[in-house]
Each structure stands twice: as structure tokens, then as C-alpha cells.
Amino acid sequence: NAGVMQNPRHLVRRRGQEARLRCSPMKGHSHVYWYRQLPEEGLKFMVYLQKENIIDESGMPKERFSAEFPKEGPSILRIQQVVRGDSAAYFCASSQGQVRTEAFFGQGTRLTVV
Amino acid sequence: AQSVTQPDIHITVSEGASLELRCNYSYGATPYLFWYVQSPGQGLQLLLKYFSGDTLVQGIKGFEAEFKRSQSSFNLRKPSVHWSDAAEYFCAVGPPNTGNQFYFGTGTSLTVIP
């Protein structure tokens, strides 16, 4: 059973371009969480999705950021018109259920905006 | 507001020595509590968690943590550190009964010297 798979592992974008980060949860997991880790900081919760639904997006910036978790395929975190401040490591986690179930983290995507 | 404080940014211990990493939280109710470990370039691995019940919890790799409600603390301990324990350690709190939307501390970097 493969773990949480994130791709790409490293992504370089110029200012103004779009970044698409993919997360394939563990088999059997229908809950996905996205976190952002800025340099020298802890992880910050961004969004929680369950298949085809956004459950909690309280940590998402109001503009340029969006997330989806379609019925088929991976979860996508999309950042439009990237700026230097978007440079960070983005981690995805998945869990089988909502409550009292362990969240497994992927290895992250390191986004660099140049 | 919810917050997690890890007062020690960096700790250095000798191999075989005991270890304690501090974590204090501020939360409206008793949250779920977690410790994660992150090796360089890797995702996060769950060491242990506390939901309720016995306030001393055992985790993987010989780690344990104690929940002290009166001090709003959840300190991580290990009686004898191994060189392979060198990593970044994150304390996290999560809202009870609503999923894995965690608040993370800023992390404690552990160096182990021979």
C-alpha cells in the first residue's frame, strides 16, 4: 500500500505563472488536508477536502488559491499568478475517516517562485 | 485564539542522554494532541497522539508524552536518545471530533552528538 504521493517534489515557477500541486491519498482514504510550511515555520493548515467537497477552507488565502478533490483522480492545489511569497513546502495528508483517525503525510512539494 | 508554542528552537543532546521537548498550547477546550517527526526532505511521521484517558501516552521509537491539563502542556520524552533521532519535531493540536485540521508549533530541531 503506497503512502501519500505528492508530485512534483520540486516545482519552479516564474512570478505570474500558475502552480498545480497534486496529491494522491493513500488507498481507501477519502479525506485530504493541505498544509503550507514557510521557511523556519511550522505547518499551517490550508484546506480540508472530502471527495468532491470542501469541508473546511478556513486557512486558504482568499485570492489566487483553490483546491479540489474530484471523484476520480488526485487532489489538486492550484495557485494562480504566483508571487515570491508563495515559495514554500506544501504538504498533503490523508486519513481514512474524520475523527480519531491518523493522518498520513506526503513528502511535500517544494515550490520556488523566481 | 488557538496556538501551539514550542519554546526550544534547537536542542543538542549526547547520544544515550535523556530528552524532553516542550509543548504548550492555547485552546478553548481540551484538544487532540500530537507529536510528529520530520527528517530532512521528508514528510511528517506520527510519533504519538492523545485523545483522552491515560495522560501518559506511548509512541513509536521509544517516545512517550504526558498531557498535563493544568499546565496546558504535552511534553515529549525519550529516556535514551539514538543518533537516528536527529530530526525536526513538531507538536500539533487538533479540534476534537472534527478532523485533522491541526495547529502546529514552529518545531524543535534536535541534534544528537556522539
Side-chain angles (χ1 to χ4, degrees), chain A residues 52-88:
Chain A
E52 300 185 273
N53 291 304
I54 296 176
I55 308 300
D56 180 353
E57 57 181 348
S58 58
M60 284 281 269
K62 294 291 185 283
E63 297 178 347
R64 302 187 297 108
F65 284 73
S66 62
E68 63 178 12
F69 188 18
K71 186 176 181 180
E72 301 292 336
S75 175
I76 306 289
L77 179 67
R78 183 182 177 205
I79 311 172
Q80 295 178 290
Q81 299 176 320
V82 296
V83 300
R84 289 247 171 91
D86 297 332
S87 295

mmCIF file of all heavy atoms in Angstrom, chain A residues 52-88:
data_model
loop_
_atom_site.group_PDB
_atom_site.id
_atom_site.type_symbol
_atom_site.label_atom_id
_atom_site.label_comp_id
_atom_site.label_asym_id
_atom_site.label_seq_id
_atom_site.Cartn_x
_atom_site.Cartn_y
_atom_site.Cartn_z
ATOM 1 N N GLU A 52 -15.036 15.386 -3.583
ATOM 2 C CA GLU A 52 -15.897 16.342 -4.271
ATOM 3 C C GLU A 52 -16.418 17.462 -3.373
ATOM 4 O O GLU A 52 -17.212 18.288 -3.832
ATOM 5 C CB GLU A 52 -17.090 15.638 -4.933
ATOM 6 C CG GLU A 52 -16.677 14.598 -5.976
ATOM 7 C CD GLU A 52 -17.866 13.998 -6.691
ATOM 8 O OE1 GLU A 52 -18.437 13.011 -6.174
ATOM 9 O OE2 GLU A 52 -18.223 14.516 -7.768
ATOM 10 N N ASN A 53 -15.990 17.509 -2.134
ATOM 11 C CA ASN A 53 -16.486 18.556 -1.230
ATOM 12 C C ASN A 53 -15.347 19.237 -0.485
ATOM 13 O O ASN A 53 -14.393 18.580 -0.075
ATOM 14 C CB ASN A 53 -17.446 17.969 -0.198
ATOM 15 C CG ASN A 53 -18.745 17.521 -0.818
ATOM 16 O OD1 ASN A 53 -19.433 18.288 -1.476
ATOM 17 N ND2 ASN A 53 -19.080 16.259 -0.605
ATOM 18 N N ILE A 54 -15.460 20.540 -0.315
ATOM 19 C CA ILE A 54 -14.563 21.284 0.560
ATOM 20 C C ILE A 54 -15.233 21.362 1.921
ATOM 21 O O ILE A 54 -16.330 21.905 2.052
ATOM 22 C CB ILE A 54 -14.285 22.693 0.021
ATOM 23 C CG1 ILE A 54 -13.540 22.612 -1.310
ATOM 24 C CG2 ILE A 54 -13.481 23.504 1.041
ATOM 25 C CD1 ILE A 54 -13.308 23.958 -1.969
ATOM 26 N N ILE A 55 -14.576 20.785 2.926
ATOM 27 C CA ILE A 55 -15.156 20.733 4.269
ATOM 28 C C ILE A 55 -14.760 21.968 5.082
ATOM 29 O O ILE A 55 -15.575 22.542 5.796
ATOM 30 C CB ILE A 55 -14.730 19.467 5.024
ATOM 31 C CG1 ILE A 55 -14.998 18.202 4.189
ATOM 32 C CG2 ILE A 55 -15.407 19.381 6.377
ATOM 33 C CD1 ILE A 55 -16.458 18.002 3.832
ATOM 34 N N ASP A 56 -13.507 22.356 4.979
ATOM 35 C CA ASP A 56 -13.010 23.483 5.778
ATOM 36 C C ASP A 56 -11.911 24.166 4.974
ATOM 37 O O ASP A 56 -10.901 23.546 4.676
ATOM 38 C CB ASP A 56 -12.473 22.970 7.130
ATOM 39 C CG ASP A 56 -11.934 24.075 8.036
ATOM 40 O OD1 ASP A 56 -11.833 25.241 7.600
ATOM 41 O OD2 ASP A 56 -11.592 23.756 9.194
ATOM 42 N N GLU A 57 -12.119 25.404 4.598
ATOM 43 C CA GLU A 57 -11.102 26.155 3.866
ATOM 44 C C GLU A 57 -10.677 27.402 4.635
ATOM 45 O O GLU A 57 -10.265 28.396 4.051
ATOM 46 C CB GLU A 57 -11.584 26.515 2.454
ATOM 47 C CG GLU A 57 -12.871 27.295 2.415
ATOM 48 C CD GLU A 57 -13.328 27.603 0.995
ATOM 49 O OE1 GLU A 57 -12.545 27.412 0.047
ATOM 50 O OE2 GLU A 57 -14.493 28.051 0.838
ATOM 51 N N SER A 58 -10.776 27.313 5.941
ATOM 52 C CA SER A 58 -10.506 28.486 6.772
ATOM 53 C C SER A 58 -9.057 28.968 6.694
ATOM 54 O O SER A 58 -8.773 30.109 7.016
ATOM 55 C CB SER A 58 -10.867 28.188 8.232
ATOM 56 O OG SER A 58 -10.131 27.065 8.712
ATOM 57 N N GLY A 59 -8.146 28.110 6.264
ATOM 58 C CA GLY A 59 -6.740 28.500 6.178
ATOM 59 C C GLY A 59 -6.294 28.899 4.781
ATOM 60 O O GLY A 59 -5.121 29.237 4.583
ATOM 61 N N MET A 60 -7.191 28.909 3.858
ATOM 62 C CA MET A 60 -6.826 29.237 2.469
ATOM 63 C C MET A 60 -6.803 30.754 2.277
ATOM 64 O O MET A 60 -7.738 31.445 2.693
ATOM 65 C CB MET A 60 -7.837 28.647 1.492
ATOM 66 C CG MET A 60 -7.695 27.166 1.288
ATOM 67 S SD MET A 60 -6.367 26.766 0.166
ATOM 68 C CE MET A 60 -7.289 26.753 -1.369
ATOM 69 N N PRO A 61 -5.763 31.275 1.626
ATOM 70 C CA PRO A 61 -5.801 32.694 1.249
ATOM 71 C C PRO A 61 -7.032 32.958 0.385
ATOM 72 O O PRO A 61 -7.476 32.092 -0.377
ATOM 73 C CB PRO A 61 -4.509 32.867 0.453
ATOM 74 C CG PRO A 61 -3.601 31.792 0.945
ATOM 75 C CD PRO A 61 -4.498 30.635 1.262
ATOM 76 N N LYS A 62 -7.582 34.144 0.525
ATOM 77 C CA LYS A 62 -8.851 34.442 -0.144
ATOM 78 C C LYS A 62 -8.710 34.537 -1.649
ATOM 79 O O LYS A 62 -9.680 34.283 -2.382
ATOM 80 C CB LYS A 62 -9.416 35.763 0.403
ATOM 81 C CG LYS A 62 -9.828 35.684 1.867
ATOM 82 C CD LYS A 62 -11.041 34.808 2.056
ATOM 83 C CE LYS A 62 -11.540 34.811 3.496
ATOM 84 N NZ LYS A 62 -10.728 33.987 4.367
ATOM 85 N N GLU A 63 -7.533 34.878 -2.139
ATOM 86 C CA GLU A 63 -7.359 35.059 -3.576
ATOM 87 C C GLU A 63 -6.258 34.138 -4.083
ATOM 88 O O GLU A 63 -5.341 33.769 -3.357
ATOM 89 C CB GLU A 63 -7.005 36.517 -3.875
ATOM 90 C CG GLU A 63 -8.101 37.494 -3.484
ATOM 91 C CD GLU A 63 -7.712 38.936 -3.740
ATOM 92 O OE1 GLU A 63 -6.523 39.207 -3.982
ATOM 93 O OE2 GLU A 63 -8.620 39.803 -3.701
ATOM 94 N N ARG A 64 -6.369 33.750 -5.307
ATOM 95 C CA ARG A 64 -5.368 33.027 -6.096
ATOM 96 C C ARG A 64 -5.235 31.556 -5.738
ATOM 97 O O ARG A 64 -4.670 30.800 -6.521
ATOM 98 C CB ARG A 64 -3.970 33.700 -6.007
ATOM 99 C CG ARG A 64 -3.931 35.136 -6.452
ATOM 100 C CD ARG A 64 -2.500 35.669 -6.493
ATOM 101 N NE ARG A 64 -1.875 35.672 -5.169
ATOM 102 C CZ ARG A 64 -0.924 34.828 -4.791
ATOM 103 N NH1 ARG A 64 -0.471 33.902 -5.627
ATOM 104 N NH2 ARG A 64 -0.394 34.917 -3.577
ATOM 105 N N PHE A 65 -5.707 31.133 -4.596
ATOM 106 C CA PHE A 65 -5.565 29.736 -4.167
ATOM 107 C C PHE A 65 -6.909 29.016 -4.295
ATOM 108 O O PHE A 65 -7.940 29.560 -3.911
ATOM 109 C CB PHE A 65 -5.107 29.662 -2.714
ATOM 110 C CG PHE A 65 -3.650 29.974 -2.498
ATOM 111 C CD1 PHE A 65 -3.195 31.281 -2.614
ATOM 112 C CD2 PHE A 65 -2.748 28.973 -2.170
ATOM 113 C CE1 PHE A 65 -1.850 31.580 -2.418
ATOM 114 C CE2 PHE A 65 -1.414 29.262 -1.960
ATOM 115 C CZ PHE A 65 -0.967 30.574 -2.087
ATOM 116 N N SER A 66 -6.861 27.782 -4.791
ATOM 117 C CA SER A 66 -8.053 26.956 -4.831
ATOM 118 C C SER A 66 -7.639 25.497 -4.695
ATOM 119 O O SER A 66 -6.490 25.133 -4.959
ATOM 120 C CB SER A 66 -8.835 27.172 -6.131
ATOM 121 O OG SER A 66 -8.056 26.787 -7.246
ATOM 122 N N ALA A 67 -8.580 24.679 -4.277
ATOM 123 C CA ALA A 67 -8.293 23.252 -4.106
ATOM 124 C C ALA A 67 -9.505 22.454 -4.527
ATOM 125 O O ALA A 67 -10.642 22.910 -4.412
ATOM 126 C CB ALA A 67 -7.929 22.942 -2.653
ATOM 127 N N GLU A 68 -9.241 21.258 -5.015
ATOM 128 C CA GLU A 68 -10.314 20.361 -5.388
ATOM 129 C C GLU A 68 -9.883 18.925 -5.115
ATOM 130 O O GLU A 68 -8.702 18.606 -5.076
ATOM 131 C CB GLU A 68 -10.693 20.520 -6.854
ATOM 132 C CG GLU A 68 -9.588 20.179 -7.848
ATOM 133 C CD GLU A 68 -10.036 20.310 -9.284
ATOM 134 O OE1 GLU A 68 -11.106 20.863 -9.546
ATOM 135 O OE2 GLU A 68 -9.295 19.817 -10.157
ATOM 136 N N PHE A 69 -10.876 18.079 -4.960
ATOM 137 C CA PHE A 69 -10.643 16.644 -4.765
ATOM 138 C C PHE A 69 -11.764 15.934 -5.512
ATOM 139 O O PHE A 69 -12.814 15.644 -4.949
ATOM 140 C CB PHE A 69 -10.655 16.306 -3.282
ATOM 141 C CG PHE A 69 -10.243 14.892 -2.948
ATOM 142 C CD1 PHE A 69 -9.544 14.101 -3.846
ATOM 143 C CD2 PHE A 69 -10.556 14.359 -1.706
ATOM 144 C CE1 PHE A 69 -9.168 12.808 -3.522
ATOM 145 C CE2 PHE A 69 -10.170 13.070 -1.375
ATOM 146 C CZ PHE A 69 -9.479 12.297 -2.275
ATOM 147 N N PRO A 70 -11.552 15.693 -6.801
ATOM 148 C CA PRO A 70 -12.630 15.138 -7.626
ATOM 149 C C PRO A 70 -12.927 13.691 -7.266
ATOM 150 O O PRO A 70 -12.154 13.021 -6.586
ATOM 151 C CB PRO A 70 -12.078 15.270 -9.047
ATOM 152 C CG PRO A 70 -10.600 15.288 -8.878
ATOM 153 C CD PRO A 70 -10.332 15.956 -7.571
ATOM 154 N N LYS A 71 -14.039 13.226 -7.804
ATOM 155 C CA LYS A 71 -14.455 11.846 -7.557
ATOM 156 C C LYS A 71 -13.379 10.859 -8.027
ATOM 157 O O LYS A 71 -13.113 9.840 -7.378
ATOM 158 C CB LYS A 71 -15.772 11.573 -8.275
ATOM 159 C CG LYS A 71 -16.383 10.220 -7.972
ATOM 160 C CD LYS A 71 -17.738 10.083 -8.657
ATOM 161 C CE LYS A 71 -18.367 8.733 -8.335
ATOM 162 N NZ LYS A 71 -19.694 8.587 -9.013
ATOM 163 N N GLU A 72 -12.791 11.162 -9.151
ATOM 164 C CA GLU A 72 -11.704 10.347 -9.672
ATOM 165 C C GLU A 72 -10.443 11.192 -9.771
ATOM 166 O O GLU A 72 -10.505 12.333 -10.204
ATOM 167 C CB GLU A 72 -12.056 9.801 -11.070
ATOM 168 C CG GLU A 72 -13.330 8.946 -11.117
ATOM 169 C CD GLU A 72 -13.169 7.624 -10.381
ATOM 170 O OE1 GLU A 72 -12.011 7.166 -10.232
ATOM 171 O OE2 GLU A 72 -14.192 7.068 -9.951
ATOM 172 N N GLY A 73 -9.320 10.629 -9.388
ATOM 173 C CA GLY A 73 -8.073 11.356 -9.547
ATOM 174 C C GLY A 73 -7.596 12.013 -8.269
ATOM 175 O O GLY A 73 -8.265 11.955 -7.216
ATOM 176 N N PRO A 74 -6.426 12.637 -8.365
ATOM 177 C CA PRO A 74 -5.812 13.206 -7.171
ATOM 178 C C PRO A 74 -6.461 14.522 -6.747
ATOM 179 O O PRO A 74 -7.220 15.138 -7.499
ATOM 180 C CB PRO A 74 -4.367 13.463 -7.626
ATOM 181 C CG PRO A 74 -4.497 13.743 -9.086
ATOM 182 C CD PRO A 74 -5.598 12.842 -9.565
ATOM 183 N N SER A 75 -6.122 14.937 -5.560
ATOM 184 C CA SER A 75 -6.482 16.273 -5.115
ATOM 185 C C SER A 75 -5.490 17.255 -5.733
ATOM 186 O O SER A 75 -4.301 16.948 -5.881
ATOM 187 C CB SER A 75 -6.422 16.352 -3.596
ATOM 188 O OG SER A 75 -6.655 17.676 -3.150
ATOM 189 N N ILE A 76 -5.977 18.417 -6.089
ATOM 190 C CA ILE A 76 -5.149 19.451 -6.724
ATOM 191 C C ILE A 76 -5.214 20.722 -5.887
ATOM 192 O O ILE A 76 -6.308 21.183 -5.539
ATOM 193 C CB ILE A 76 -5.644 19.785 -8.143
ATOM 194 C CG1 ILE A 76 -5.750 18.538 -9.011
ATOM 195 C CG2 ILE A 76 -4.739 20.834 -8.786
ATOM 196 C CD1 ILE A 76 -4.433 17.943 -9.409
ATOM 197 N N LEU A 77 -4.038 21.255 -5.586
ATOM 198 C CA LEU A 77 -3.944 22.601 -5.009
ATOM 199 C C LEU A 77 -3.428 23.504 -6.123
ATOM 200 O O LEU A 77 -2.365 23.253 -6.687
ATOM 201 C CB LEU A 77 -2.999 22.632 -3.815
ATOM 202 C CG LEU A 77 -2.815 24.001 -3.141
ATOM 203 C CD1 LEU A 77 -4.115 24.443 -2.465
ATOM 204 C CD2 LEU A 77 -1.684 23.967 -2.116
ATOM 205 N N ARG A 78 -4.187 24.523 -6.428
ATOM 206 C CA ARG A 78 -3.864 25.396 -7.547
ATOM 207 C C ARG A 78 -3.574 26.805 -7.029
ATOM 208 O O ARG A 78 -4.351 27.362 -6.249
ATOM 209 C CB ARG A 78 -5.051 25.426 -8.509
ATOM 210 C CG ARG A 78 -4.856 26.243 -9.765
ATOM 211 C CD ARG A 78 -6.136 26.201 -10.581
ATOM 212 N NE ARG A 78 -6.079 27.005 -11.781
ATOM 213 C CZ ARG A 78 -7.138 27.513 -12.397
ATOM 214 N NH1 ARG A 78 -8.345 27.283 -11.910
ATOM 215 N NH2 ARG A 78 -7.006 28.231 -13.482
ATOM 216 N N ILE A 79 -2.456 27.332 -7.471
ATOM 217 C CA ILE A 79 -2.074 28.701 -7.104
ATOM 218 C C ILE A 79 -1.925 29.487 -8.398
ATOM 219 O O ILE A 79 -1.070 29.199 -9.232
ATOM 220 C CB ILE A 79 -0.754 28.757 -6.310
ATOM 221 C CG1 ILE A 79 -0.764 27.740 -5.165
ATOM 222 C CG2 ILE A 79 -0.540 30.160 -5.767
ATOM 223 C CD1 ILE A 79 0.568 27.604 -4.453
ATOM 224 N N GLN A 80 -2.781 30.485 -8.562
ATOM 225 C CA GLN A 80 -2.714 31.309 -9.760
ATOM 226 C C GLN A 80 -1.830 32.524 -9.522
ATOM 227 O O GLN A 80 -1.715 33.023 -8.399
ATOM 228 C CB GLN A 80 -4.121 31.777 -10.145
ATOM 229 C CG GLN A 80 -5.055 30.638 -10.544
ATOM 230 C CD GLN A 80 -6.443 31.128 -10.867
ATOM 231 O OE1 GLN A 80 -7.180 31.545 -9.979
ATOM 232 N NE2 GLN A 80 -6.813 31.087 -12.136
ATOM 233 N N GLN A 81 -1.194 32.981 -10.598
ATOM 234 C CA GLN A 81 -0.391 34.212 -10.558
ATOM 235 C C GLN A 81 0.538 34.212 -9.342
ATOM 236 O O GLN A 81 0.475 35.113 -8.490
ATOM 237 C CB GLN A 81 -1.307 35.432 -10.538
ATOM 238 C CG GLN A 81 -2.197 35.516 -11.773
ATOM 239 C CD GLN A 81 -3.174 36.683 -11.701
ATOM 240 O OE1 GLN A 81 -3.733 36.960 -10.642
ATOM 241 N NE2 GLN A 81 -3.364 37.349 -12.825
ATOM 242 N N VAL A 82 1.405 33.230 -9.279
ATOM 243 C CA VAL A 82 2.256 33.057 -8.098
ATOM 244 C C VAL A 82 3.136 34.283 -7.868
ATOM 245 O O VAL A 82 3.554 34.971 -8.799
ATOM 246 C CB VAL A 82 3.129 31.790 -8.210
ATOM 247 C CG1 VAL A 82 2.269 30.538 -8.238
ATOM 248 C CG2 VAL A 82 4.052 31.863 -9.423
ATOM 249 N N VAL A 83 3.415 34.515 -6.575
ATOM 250 C CA VAL A 83 4.315 35.584 -6.150
ATOM 251 C C VAL A 83 5.421 34.953 -5.312
ATOM 252 O O VAL A 83 5.318 33.798 -4.891
ATOM 253 C CB VAL A 83 3.564 36.667 -5.335
ATOM 254 C CG1 VAL A 83 2.461 37.283 -6.171
ATOM 255 C CG2 VAL A 83 2.993 36.082 -4.052
ATOM 256 N N ARG A 84 6.492 35.741 -5.066
ATOM 257 C CA ARG A 84 7.632 35.201 -4.325
ATOM 258 C C ARG A 84 7.218 34.655 -2.966
ATOM 259 O O ARG A 84 7.748 33.650 -2.497
ATOM 260 C CB ARG A 84 8.694 36.294 -4.143
ATOM 261 C CG ARG A 84 9.416 36.641 -5.450
ATOM 262 C CD ARG A 84 10.884 36.234 -5.386
ATOM 263 N NE ARG A 84 11.517 36.372 -6.693
ATOM 264 C CZ ARG A 84 12.124 37.471 -7.107
ATOM 265 N NH1 ARG A 84 12.168 38.540 -6.312
ATOM 266 N NH2 ARG A 84 12.672 37.508 -8.307
ATOM 267 N N GLY A 85 6.259 35.286 -2.340
ATOM 268 C CA GLY A 85 5.825 34.857 -1.020
ATOM 269 C C GLY A 85 5.127 33.502 -0.993
ATOM 270 O O GLY A 85 4.888 32.949 0.077
ATOM 271 N N ASP A 86 4.794 32.974 -2.178
ATOM 272 C CA ASP A 86 4.185 31.648 -2.244
ATOM 273 C C ASP A 86 5.236 30.546 -2.142
ATOM 274 O O ASP A 86 4.883 29.368 -2.007
ATOM 275 C CB ASP A 86 3.411 31.471 -3.555
ATOM 276 C CG ASP A 86 2.243 32.435 -3.675
ATOM 277 O OD1 ASP A 86 1.692 32.843 -2.620
ATOM 278 O OD2 ASP A 86 1.874 32.783 -4.816
ATOM 279 N N SER A 87 6.502 30.901 -2.227
ATOM 280 C CA SER A 87 7.571 29.904 -2.120
ATOM 281 C C SER A 87 7.498 29.244 -0.746
ATOM 282 O O SER A 87 7.574 29.904 0.290
ATOM 283 C CB SER A 87 8.936 30.567 -2.301
ATOM 284 O OG SER A 87 9.085 31.082 -3.600
ATOM 285 N N ALA A 88 7.338 27.936 -0.754
ATOM 286 C CA ALA A 88 7.152 27.193 0.489
ATOM 287 C C ALA A 88 7.118 25.707 0.161
ATOM 288 O O ALA A 88 7.131 25.312 -1.002
ATOM 289 C CB ALA A 88 5.848 27.595 1.176
#
